[in-house]
Amino acid sequence: MRRVRPGTAASRGGGTARASGAAGASSAPGGAPGEGRALTSVATGAAYEAYEAANPGGDTSGGGKQPADAPRLWHVTLSVSGEEAPLAEVRRGLEQLAHDHPFLLTSRYAGDHAEIRYWEEARDLHDAAAVALRLWGEHRRTAQLPPWEIVGLEVIDRETYHQRIAEGYGPLPAAPVGVHPY
């Protein structure tokens, strides 16, 4: 999966990246959940390149039809919670996560919970959610994050996000960007 902030150009190199471990899937006998289904990055073939050329900046008003396997942007809000941890350690861990993965928009934290918001580029909601559900656990050790569990996940498409903002409800735009206490 490629991760980009909205409005920034992503490289359109060929090939696919593979990561295993979608939540709840297992095809290997005795395997742990998630070992069976491999997630692949979105296709970036000729059909997608033609779509991009016909619709610069993602503008669909020209009537161009987006390929079925074209990436979409998903707004992700991941909530984690657990035993009380020192605020300085929580902040440092979230800052390290943001440094390692600059796709993060904002993180809010307290001593016993945190919320991470970012944009994920994925083929569909299932892939975006699977990546989000692995984020905390996969980076807990490297970023020295607290041993908290995921207690909430919201994944919405870009259109829904902007519709909510325009109507005055839903998650507020991530400003200021960065790591902040509640």
Side-chain angles (χ1 to χ4, degrees), residues 53-176:
N55 300 287
D59 178 27
T60 57
S61 61
K65 184 163 173 36
Q66 187 171 1
D69 60 352
R72 294 172 58 188
L73 281 176
W74 302 89
H75 185 267
V76 177
T77 304
L78 181 70
S79 300
V80 294
S81 181
E83 295 291 321
E84 187 83 21
L87 286 176
E89 290 181 22
V90 174
R91 181 180 182 92
R92 191 214 39 77
L94 291 170
E95 286 174 342
Q96 183 63 46
L97 182 62
H99 179 270
D100 293 345
H101 301 279
F103 60 89
L104 294 177
L105 288 174
T106 188
S107 298
R108 298 186 305 166
Y109 66 93
D112 63 348
H113 63 281
E115 177 184 89
I116 300 168
R117 295 173 51 197
Y118 65 97
W119 289 97
E120 178 69 52
E121 186 174 30
R123 180 181 56 232
D124 57 26
L125 179 121
H126 184 271
D127 286 353
V131 170
L133 289 170
R134 291 194 317 262
L135 178 71
W136 190 262
E138 287 183 357
H139 299 287
R140 188 177 322 176
R141 196 171 315 142
T142 58
Q144 297 178 341
L145 297 165
W148 294 342
E149 67 177 332
I150 296 171
V151 296
L153 174 65
E154 180 185 55
V155 181
I156 56 175
D157 67 357
R158 189 169 131 186
E159 289 179 32
T160 302
Y161 175 82
H162 289 295
Q163 180 181 4
R164 286 183 177 184
I165 298 304
E167 293 175 357
Y169 67 94
L172 296 174

